[in-house]
Amino acid sequence: MQRWPRSLVVLSAMGVGLFQVVGSFGAADQQPERKALDALAVVLLLAGPMALAWRDRRPLVAVAVSMAAVDIYVGLGYPYGPIFLSVVVALYSAVQAGQRRATWLVAGVGYVGYVVASLLDPRSDEGQGVVHLALVAGWLLGVLAVSELVRSQRAQTASRARTDQEARERRAAEQRLLLAQELHDVLAHNISLINVQAGVALHLLDEQPEQARPALATIKAASRDALQELRAALDVLRRGEAAPRTPSPRLADLDSLVAGMRASGLEVTLQREDLPERLDVAVELAAYRIVQEALTNVTRHARARRVTVRCWYDGGVWLEVRDDGVGGVVHDGNGIAGMRERASALAGTVVAGPVDGGGFRVLAHLPGHPG
C-alpha cells in the first residue's frame, strides 16, 4: 500500500472526527428515544478518529480502538449515527496495509462486542434486535470484502507494473549485450584489418611507396566503417529505441567483406551455393557476423595465405571458413565463443578446430527458412 504523508493522515483523521461529532448531533435530533449526547459521547466519537491518526503505523490499533468506541457508545444507548465511519476507514486501511487475517479477527471480536453492547443497550428495540444485528454483520462483511477486492486489484496492478519493468530492464540488458557483441565483432574486424594494412603500408612506404596507396585506402575505409558503427552504437545508448537503425548486414554483403580482406593481401575464395534470395534478418546477420569473426581470427592469429568461405542452404544456412594457417594453435577463444553464442541464440551450432594437413576450420549451421 502506498503510504500517505503524515500530514494527510492526521488531517483526514481530524476530518472524520469533525464529521462524526457534527453528524451525531444532527442524528440525535431524529432519535429522541436515545440517550442525549454528553461529554462522554463526544469523547467516544473522537476516540476512533484519534486512533485513525496513527493508522499508517498501527493499523490494528486503529481498528480495535474505533470498534471499541462504537461498542461502548452503542452499549450506553447513545443515538446511532456516523460514528461507524471511523470503523470503515480503520478496516479499509488495515486491509490495505497487509494486516488481513488480524483485521478479520479483530473485526470479529469487535462484532461480538457490538452484539453484547446491543443486548446491554437500555434503549434497544427488542423487536428489531435480530434484524439490526444481521444488517450490521452484513455491513461489516461488505466493508471487509470491498477492502479485500481493492487490495487484490492493487496487488495485481503492482505485480503487472513490476513484470513490465522487469521486461523493460531485460530487453534493455539484451539490447546492451547485443550492442556489445556487435561492437566487438565490427571493431575487432576493422581494427585487425587496419593493423594488417598499416604493417603493409609501413613495409612498402620506403621501398615501393606507390604500392602503399591501396593499403592506406583500406585503412581509411576500415576506420570510416568502425567510426560509423561506433556512432550508431552511441546513438542507441543515448536515445534508445528512438535512435535511427542502420540496415543490418546480410549474406549479400559478404562480397564487400571479402573484398576488404583481399585488400589486406589474403587470398579469399567465396563460394555461395543454393542460397535463397532472402532469409530471416536475424539469421542473415548472425551468418554475416560469424564469417566476419572467423576471417578476423584468420588475420590476427592464423598466419594464413588462403581462406575459403563457403555458404550453402540445406534446410538451414551452412557456413564454412577454412584457412591454411597454423591450425588454430593461437586462434582467439573469445571470438569462437562469440560465434557459438550467436549461433545458439538461433538454435544453431558452431564447430571450430584444426583440420588434418594444417589449417583451421569453422563450420556453422543456422536454422532458417526463406523469407
Side-chain angles (χ1 to χ4, degrees):
M1 177 182 175
Q2 184 178 3
R3 289 185 175 274
W4 287 12
R6 283 293 305 154
S7 58
L8 288 181
V9 173
V10 174
L11 285 174
S12 63
M14 294 173 60
V16 171
L18 180 62
F19 180 78
Q20 288 191 168
V21 171
V22 175
S24 294
F25 275 99
D29 294 337
Q30 307 300 320
Q31 303 174 58
E33 72 282 2
R34 305 293 293 176
K35 183 178 179 180
L37 296 176
D38 52 21
L40 178 57
V42 173
V43 170
L44 293 172
L45 288 168
L46 294 176
M50 290 178 62
L52 291 179
W54 299 93
R55 66 185 185 276
D56 56 332
R57 300 179 180 180
R58 296 289 186 272
L60 291 179
V61 172
V63 174
V65 172
S66 60
M67 295 201 76
V70 169
D71 293 346
I72 297 173
Y73 180 90
V74 171
L76 294 176
Y78 291 117
Y80 298 107
I83 189 173
F84 295 98
L85 178 60
S86 59
V87 175
V88 174
V89 175
L91 290 174
Y92 178 85
S93 300
V95 171
Q96 303 311 309
Q99 305 285 343
R100 299 168 59 199
R101 294 183 179 179
T103 300
W104 281 79
L105 178 61
V106 174
V109 172
Y111 178 72
V112 172
Y114 184 84
V115 172
V116 173
S118 296
L119 295 175
L120 296 177
D121 180 5
R123 293 174 171 78
S124 62
D125 187 345
E126 296 182 359
Q128 297 180 355
V130 175
V131 175
H132 174 77
L133 293 176
L135 290 174
V136 172
W139 166 82
L140 189 61
L141 290 173
V143 171
L144 290 169
V146 170
S147 301
E148 291 283 3
L149 179 61
V150 172
R151 184 184 183 279
S152 176
Q153 290 178 339
R154 285 185 172 179
Q156 291 176 3
T157 301
S159 177
R160 286 194 296 269
R162 286 193 300 270
T163 301
D164 293 343
Q165 179 64 24
E166 291 171 359
R168 286 192 295 270
E169 292 176 355
R170 184 170 59 252
R171 287 194 298 270
E174 291 172 352
Q175 185 182 52
R176 287 193 295 269
L177 180 61
L178 179 61
L179 187 61
Q181 193 175 41
E182 287 287 301
L183 282 176
H184 169 271
D185 292 348
V186 172
L187 295 180
H189 173 77
N190 286 299
I191 291 174
S192 296
L193 188 60
I194 290 171
N195 182 61
V196 171
Q197 292 298 316
V200 172
L202 287 173
H203 177 72
L204 297 174
L205 198 57
D206 294 330
E207 300 178 2
Q208 298 173 298
E210 70 282 356
Q211 295 186 17
R213 179 178 293 275
L216 294 174
T218 302
I219 290 174
K220 181 179 180 181
S223 61
R224 182 188 64 244
D225 293 342
L227 286 173
Q228 287 177 348
E229 291 287 344
L230 187 58
R231 289 193 190 99
L234 293 176
D235 201 24
V236 170
L237 289 176
R238 285 194 301 264
R239 300 170 59 185
E241 296 182 357
R245 303 291 180 176
T246 57
S248 299
R250 310 183 74 103
L251 288 173
D253 299 317
L254 287 178
D255 292 312
S256 59
L257 176 65
V258 168
M261 301 305 297
R262 287 171 180 159
S264 67
L266 188 66
E267 183 180 331
V268 184
T269 301
L270 175 61
Q271 301 174 359
R272 282 183 287 208
E273 307 167 10
D274 301 325
L275 282 175
E277 185 174 344
R278 302 286 288 184
L279 287 162
D280 182 78
V281 174
V283 172
E284 293 214 38
L285 174 61
Y288 180 92
R289 294 304 188 202
I290 288 172
V291 173
Q292 183 184 55
E293 182 62 34
L295 291 175
T296 300
N297 280 349
V298 171
T299 60
R300 295 174 64 185
H301 307 296
R303 298 197 297 275
R305 292 184 178 180
R306 289 181 296 276
V307 182
T308 300
V309 178
R310 290 184 62 221
C311 308
W312 70 97
Y313 185 84
D314 183 11
V317 178
W318 288 88
L319 308 164
E320 183 185 49
V321 180
R322 183 167 180 169
D323 65 66
D324 63 352
V326 297
V329 175
V330 291
H331 262 259
D332 180 15
N334 290 331
I336 294 172
M339 287 187 275
R340 286 179 174 145
E341 288 175 2
R342 282 190 178 276
S344 63
L346 299 173
T349 58
V350 170
V351 178
V355 295
D356 295 337
F360 194 85
R361 185 181 78 155
V362 174
L363 179 65
H365 174 255
L366 301 173
H369 301 285

